[in-house]
Amino acid sequence: MIFRQLFDQVSGTYSYLLASRKGGEALIIDPVLEKVDRYLQLVRELDLRLVKAVDTHLHADHITGLGALRDKTQCVTVMGEQTKADVVSMRLSDGDKLAIEGLALDVIYTPGHTDDSYSFILPDRVFTGDTLLIRGTGRTDFQNGDPRQQYESIFGRLLKLPNETLIYPAHDYKGETVSTIGEEKAFNPRLQVKSMEEYVEIMNNLKLANPKMMDVAVPANMKVGLHQEEIARRGWAVTAVEALALVDKPDVALIDLREHSERERHGIIPGAIHLPYTRLQENIAAGGMLHELARSTSKQLLFYCAFGERSAMAVQAAQDAGVASAGHIEGGIDAWKKAGGPIMR
Ligand SMILES: [Fe+2]
């Protein structure tokens, strides 16, 4: 496995670049906007291809690099389903896998620091976001934080992992880089409590000032979505309501860009061809399956995904590859469901 821990000194944030090898797919956890060029340089130097950018939760102390990384690499942006961010390409739930080629992280919902906090687990390590820090825990006094939920997330979930599991948090302010579950159980002062009530008492009396960046970072991090208007302005989008009348037409090929797990959890639009977004490029280039389908049958390609972000990027890629009939369903299957569209499970 390729693993890099990257640090942003200004906000004390750790970001993590992960990859296996073969085709070089990589993902990054908790990227910071100001460091995006550095991440991309490293990705190039290691001959990797960034396919996912993930935030453990909506950050209050720095602006996320998710949007900028997506705009520069067309990667998929990922957060938990509870997030208040306007659009991320893919939303995870407890029990899902966060996967790239050769790597699959177990996704667990660990609310408490915020109500959208997640942790990601590999066999030997866990990325805890701000839920569990080294000799500390994330504050619970804003963004729908809740010390009771955090106690459950830490004692009920994270501390159940094997003692030797490495902990990689989203922050450290003292220069610590890594810990283990066993070490934190023994030495994290906030975890030396006899009950949930004792933990809540500690967390409710921290009397911390708000993060300096909070008033800037939170609103910015809630607006990370791709601007789908530009795709619509060029006539490459249909609304979910318009799509209702289109999908049964023989001259329309409906293409589902989501991953297998998303299709299982949220259902599919009947009749759609499944083509995961990560395999789009090879299919849309001249000689690729979709390219030839569009050319030889004059079928209109109509992409959709979860919220319209991957499909908007797919439309652009298809148009760039000369497929003039490519369009997408604005707002994805989410909008489709809201418009009363049929779903198959
Ligand atoms: Fe945080």
Side-chain angles (χ1 to χ4, degrees):
M1 181 174 72
I2 294 162
F3 172 76
R4 292 289 185 280
Q5 183 177 35
L6 302 153
F7 188 56
D8 173 52
Q9 210 144 12
V10 178
S11 61
T13 303
Y14 284 124
S15 310
Y16 301 95
L17 181 71
L18 296 172
S20 175
R21 186 65 270 172
K22 250 199 151 169
E25 286 193 358
L27 73 79
I28 191 162
I29 298 174
D30 288 331
V32 174
L33 178 63
E34 287 78 10
K35 290 284 185 281
V36 158
D37 288 339
R38 178 176 168 222
Y39 306 143
L40 292 177
Q41 186 186 343
L42 182 60
V43 164
R44 275 193 303 276
E45 288 166 351
L46 300 179
D47 192 25
L48 299 172
R49 198 160 51 87
L50 189 69
V51 296
K52 281 182 182 158
V54 189
D55 268 349
T56 51
H57 62 288
L58 197 114
H59 295 284
D61 60 343
H62 67 269
I63 298 178
T64 176
L66 253 58
L69 286 170
R70 176 207 53 227
D71 292 345
K72 292 184 181 213
T73 69
Q74 281 70 55
C75 70
V76 174
T77 53
V78 186
M79 288 183 80
E81 63 179 347
Q82 293 82 358
T83 184
K84 291 179 182 64
D86 56 349
V87 179
V88 286
S89 299
M90 188 174 182
R91 290 178 182 236
L92 298 168
S93 311
D94 188 76
D96 280 347
K97 297 271 189 198
L98 170 60
I100 56 170
E101 182 192 21
L103 276 180
L105 293 86
D106 287 319
V107 173
I108 61 167
Y109 180 43
T110 49
H113 169 58
T114 64
D115 62 354
D116 69 343
S117 289
Y118 277 76
S119 299
F120 306 115
I121 304 173
L122 282 170
D124 68 339
R125 66 193 68 195
V126 55
F127 301 94
T128 54
D130 290 352
T131 302
L132 179 55
L133 305 173
I134 299 172
R135 307 299 190 264
T137 57
R139 62 194 297 174
T140 56
D141 56 338
F142 55 65
Q143 289 185 284
N144 297 320
D146 180 340
R148 286 187 170 75
Q149 285 190 334
Q150 192 175 49
Y151 180 90
E152 283 298 338
S153 295
I154 293 172
F155 284 87
R157 310 279 317 251
L158 294 171
L159 297 187
K160 297 267 159 74
L161 295 169
N163 279 337
E164 58 276 17
T165 310
L166 300 169
I167 296 174
Y168 285 105
H171 289 292
D172 195 84
Y173 308 101
K174 292 185 227 120
E176 304 288 346
T177 54
V178 61
S179 183
T180 66
I181 292 291
E183 210 177 301
E184 291 311 307
K185 266 186 200 162
F187 305 116
N188 188 322
R190 298 220 182 130
L191 306 186
Q192 311 309 311
V193 292
K194 302 271 177 305
S195 66
M196 182 191 278
E197 291 318 311
E198 203 182 320
Y199 184 75
V200 171
E201 183 68 20
I202 293 175
M203 296 309 288
N204 284 344
N205 289 290
L206 294 179
K207 301 192 173 71
L208 299 168
N210 280 346
K212 281 192 259 21
M213 281 285 285
M214 186 167 168
D215 294 340
V216 178
V218 171
N221 289 339
M222 281 165 59
K223 286 201 196 69
V224 293
L226 178 81
H227 298 296
Q228 295 178 28
E229 302 86 344
E230 183 54 25
I231 296 288
R233 204 184 54 76
R234 296 183 184 190
W236 298 340
V238 296
T239 65
V241 173
E242 288 164 345
L244 285 171
L246 274 179
V247 292
D248 285 335
K249 294 230 166 85
D251 55 346
V252 173
L254 190 62
I255 298 145
D256 185 351
L257 296 167
R258 294 170 305 154
E259 296 184 6
H260 188 69
S261 57
E262 296 175 278
R263 286 158 58 85
E264 284 208 322
R265 190 180 284 279
H266 303 288
I268 62 174
I269 300 178
I273 302 167
H274 183 210
L275 177 76
Y277 176 74
T278 45
R279 290 183 42 214
L280 179 75
Q281 271 311 331
E282 60 191 271
N283 275 281
I284 209 68
M289 191 266 289
L290 284 185
H291 194 99
E292 295 312 309
L293 178 77
R295 198 182 56 87
S296 62
T297 64
S298 75
K299 270 187 196 284
Q300 184 195 352
L301 303 187
L302 192 59
F303 294 108
Y304 79 94
C305 58
F307 303 99
E309 205 173 91
R310 274 168 283 183
S311 56
M313 293 191 287
V315 171
Q316 188 65 60
Q319 294 284 347
D320 291 347
V323 181
S325 73
H328 82 135
I329 303 179
E330 223 167 22
I333 198 164
D334 181 58
W336 172 264
K337 283 183 184 175
K338 286 172 184 155
I343 291 290
M344 203 172 78
R345 295 209 175 252

